[in-house]
Amino acid sequence: MIVSVGIDVVRVERFTTALRRTPLLADRIFTADERSTPSGNPRTPESLAARFAAKEAVAKALGAPGGLNWHDCEVVSDPDGRPWLTVSGTVAAVAQERGINRWHLSLSHDGGIASAMVVAER
């Protein structure tokens, strides 16, 4: 049963500028695994912007409660490259309160825009 849906869009150029202007921002928002590809290369700005949009979409699906830790929502990829979510800590606690135990994620980026859609299920 679908509990909620969250969606977010990010202008890649604006997000990249913010990362350049605030060097520690990427460390604050993303886990080490999110910042690099499985082969160890840094992710593209588009990929990072899409992952940021995913975290924002998760927060929206949860009702945008305060106190969520960025690292408690992680975008990971399966061996085929399909993105999925792992939640822990603050995000997992709110999800549990709302009866959410399954997440669906879609990421996209094109034309300078990155987007993410999240579906939360019980």
Side-chain angles (χ1 to χ4, degrees):
M1 170 184 202
I2 294 174
V3 175
S4 60
V5 174
I7 187 168
D8 195 62
V9 296
V10 175
R11 287 183 30 219
V12 174
E13 182 180 339
R14 182 175 180 201
F15 185 71
T16 303
T17 298
L19 290 176
R20 272 194 230 116
R21 187 176 51 236
T22 311
L24 296 178
L25 183 60
D27 292 341
R28 195 173 84 209
I29 296 172
F30 302 110
T31 66
D33 287 342
E34 287 177 306
R35 290 190 307 270
S36 61
T37 65
S39 61
N41 296 319
R43 291 209 180 266
T44 65
E46 293 84 2
S47 179
L48 287 175
R51 280 161 171 70
F52 178 72
K55 291 171 184 260
E56 288 284 316
V58 166
K60 290 174 181 178
L62 292 173
L68 297 179
N69 183 316
W70 290 109
H71 285 206
D72 289 348
C73 175
E74 184 176 26
V75 178
V76 296
S77 299
D78 69 13
D80 295 325
R82 179 175 168 240
W84 49 285
L85 294 166
T86 61
V87 298
S88 60
T90 58
V91 176
V94 174
Q96 184 177 13
E97 287 172 11
R98 288 165 174 64
I100 297 166
N101 58 27
R102 188 168 180 196
W103 298 94
H104 303 274
L105 170 64
S106 181
L107 303 176
S108 186
H109 49 78
D110 188 32
I113 300 289
S115 63
M117 180 176 170
V118 169
V119 176
E121 279 191 299
R122 343 197 133 156

